[in-house]
Structures are given as structure tokens and as C-alpha cells.
Amino acid sequence: MTDIAHNIRVLKEQIPASVKIVAVSKTKPVNDILTAYEAGQRIFGENRVQELLAKKDQLPSDISWHLIGHLQTNKVKQIIPFVSLIHSIDSFRLLTAVNNEAVKTGRVVNCLLQFHIASEETKFGFDESEASEMLESSSFKELKNVRICGVMGMATLTDDQKAVGKEFGNLRVIFNNLKDKYFRDNAGFSELSMGMSGDFKTAINEGSTMVRIGSLIFGERLNR
Ligand SMILES: *Cc1c(COP(=O)(O)O)cnc(C)c1O
């Protein structure tokens, strides 16, 4: 059996206190999340809206829920009233949808821009020039109900930690460039969400401020 509380303790010994741990609970039952909660974990990440909604109502209300997976514009509305951070903004269209729903609820919603840093074709995300174009546009400046808190990226799925480190390094450079160009006086632009169970140490070496850990906490998943 997976000892979730033990796994969290072990992780905390390996991760500096300044780095936030998002416990990725996708596919895992509510009871597992509650066990992690009782061990002190408060930030949880899910990648599917329906699953997140179903679990959330059965769990304590002081959990910070992060949406970490690809988000469709037609699913945005349901998470806006409560979501703490959306890691996966990968288009201006999606950011606009988030803003428009946030206006309706009177919230300012925290968002990360997802960048495509892996060599795989399938991962979602901006490249630096696309993001710059968006951040410079007047239509972006009209979005008053979203707060861009930083960037997120997923490295190539490989055991080659040197290659992974290079990709995370690229993301750190993008983060620093954007900070210099568009968020210089904005202390809120501070998060570099990178690192998962297989590569979190590499990510932290490259400057990660937020790691998203699933299987090392909850045990292996069958898929996703
Ligand atoms: C599933 C997932 C994770 C966690 O993966 P593990 O390898 O189980 O730690 C992190 N980030 C995203 C975007 C995910 O979909």
C-alpha cells in the first residue's frame, strides 16, 4: 500500500521550503487526497475539470485547487469561482475566456503561461515570440481580471536528465526575459512551475519555484 503521509515527508526533506509542492491527484480517489490533506498538504492539482469538480465538493474548503492540464474554453466557467491557479494557459483565446468569466464573478484569477519546451510534438504551449506578441498587444492589456503569475512547462519524457535540464534552463531564460520586458515592476510574476516526479530535482536545480508531483506521493497511476 502507498503510504501517502510518508511520501510527503520524504519529499519535503528533498525539496527546499521555498519551493511549493502541488500534489497531483488526478485519477486518485478523494480518500487519498484527504490523507495527504491530513498530512498537511494544501495545494492539489488536477488536469480534468469534471474530475476536479466532483472531488472538490467532498473535500475541505481550504484546499487550493490548481488546474494543471489542457483547458478547453467551454470548461472555463465551472472552475473560475474557486480555482487558485491555472497552470495551462496556452492561447490568448483561452486567457480571454478566463478573463471574461472572472469578470462575471468579480475575481482576479491567477494564471501561468504554458510554454512548449519539450522535443515531443504533442505538448501544448506558447513559444517565446508568441507570448511576447500577446503580452505587447493592446487586447492583452484590456484583460483586467487575470493575473499572470509566471510560466509553466513540461520537459521531454526521458531518463536523460541532462537533456531535461537544458529544457528547464530554456524555460528559466524565457521566464527571466518576460520578467525583464513585461513584468519588471510586478512582484506577482514570480512562479516557475516545472518538475514532476521523475525530474523535480533537475527542475529545482534550474530554478523551479513550484513542482507538480503525482506518482511519488500517491503511487503509480494506470494512465494519465
Ligand atoms: C500528471 C501530471 C503531473 C504529475 O506527474 P507525475 O509524474 O505523476 O509526478 C505534473 N504535471 C502535469 C501537467 C501532469 O499532467
Side-chain angles (χ1 to χ4, degrees):
M1 235 195 72
T2 309
D3 187 342
I4 292 170
H6 170 80
N7 292 345
I8 290 174
R9 264 195 316 277
V10 171
L11 260 184
K12 282 189 176 160
E13 283 164 12
Q14 299 175 46
I15 294 176
S18 58
V19 175
K20 299 180 187 82
I21 300 173
V22 180
V24 175
S25 48
K26 61 187 181 191
T27 80
K28 298 296 179 181
V30 162
N31 271 340
D32 286 4
I33 301 176
L34 206 51
T35 303
Y37 178 90
E38 280 160 3
Q41 181 67 30
R42 288 295 179 275
I43 308 176
F44 291 88
E46 289 280 342
N47 68 341
R48 297 200 177 167
V49 169
Q50 293 318 323
E51 186 178 344
L52 168 52
L53 294 171
K55 288 173 175 175
K56 172 193 173 286
D57 285 342
Q58 305 174 57
L59 286 158
S61 60
D62 64 339
I63 286 179
S64 290
W65 289 105
H66 289 195
L67 199 286
I68 61 171
H70 180 63
L71 179 58
Q72 290 169 300
T73 50
N74 63 353
K75 302 263 174 70
V76 166
K77 180 188 173 80
Q78 295 166 285
I79 61 168
I80 290 307
F82 67 89
V83 73
S84 302
L85 181 64
I86 301 173
H87 289 234
S88 44
I89 298 295
D90 56 9
S91 69
F92 179 65
R93 193 173 104 90
L94 177 59
L95 189 64
T96 303
V98 169
N99 181 75
N100 292 347
E101 289 301 330
V103 168
K104 291 183 200 164
T105 60
R107 289 193 76 202
V108 176
V109 172
N110 296 324
C111 295
L112 304 180
L113 302 181
Q114 181 172 353
F115 283 84
H116 181 276
I117 55 169
S119 58
E120 290 131 349
E121 278 298 323
T122 52
K123 304 246 159 86
F124 294 99
F126 289 98
D127 64 30
E128 190 174 351
S129 63
E130 289 166 347
S132 290
E133 192 185 326
M134 177 179 85
L135 294 169
E136 284 166 18
S137 70
S138 55
S139 34
F140 169 76
K141 287 165 192 146
E142 284 167 18
L143 306 182
K144 302 295 186 200
N145 288 61
V146 286
R147 182 183 297 118
I148 308 295
C149 300
V151 304
M152 181 272 232
M154 290 166 82
T156 304
L157 220 55
T158 167
D159 291 334
D160 180 355
Q161 289 305 304
K162 221 172 138 189
V164 167
K166 238 182 215 166
E167 293 174 356
F168 286 147
N170 290 341
L171 185 59
R172 187 191 61 238
V173 169
I174 291 171
F175 172 81
N176 287 334
N177 288 345
L178 297 181
K179 175 114 186 122
D180 273 358
K181 274 157 80 181
Y182 308 111
F183 300 97
R184 192 186 288 265
D185 302 317
N186 185 341
F189 188 84
S190 58
E191 300 292 355
L192 195 38
S193 167
M194 57 187 195
M196 322 197 325
S197 292
D199 56 20
F200 75 91
K201 287 180 184 165
T202 306
I204 290 169
N205 282 336
E206 295 295 335
S208 172
T209 65
M210 193 178 268
V211 291
R212 310 178 308 273
I213 309 276
S215 40
L216 273 187
I217 294 175
F218 296 107
E220 292 297 328
R221 294 177 303 275
L222 289 176
N223 43 37
R224 286 204 273 147

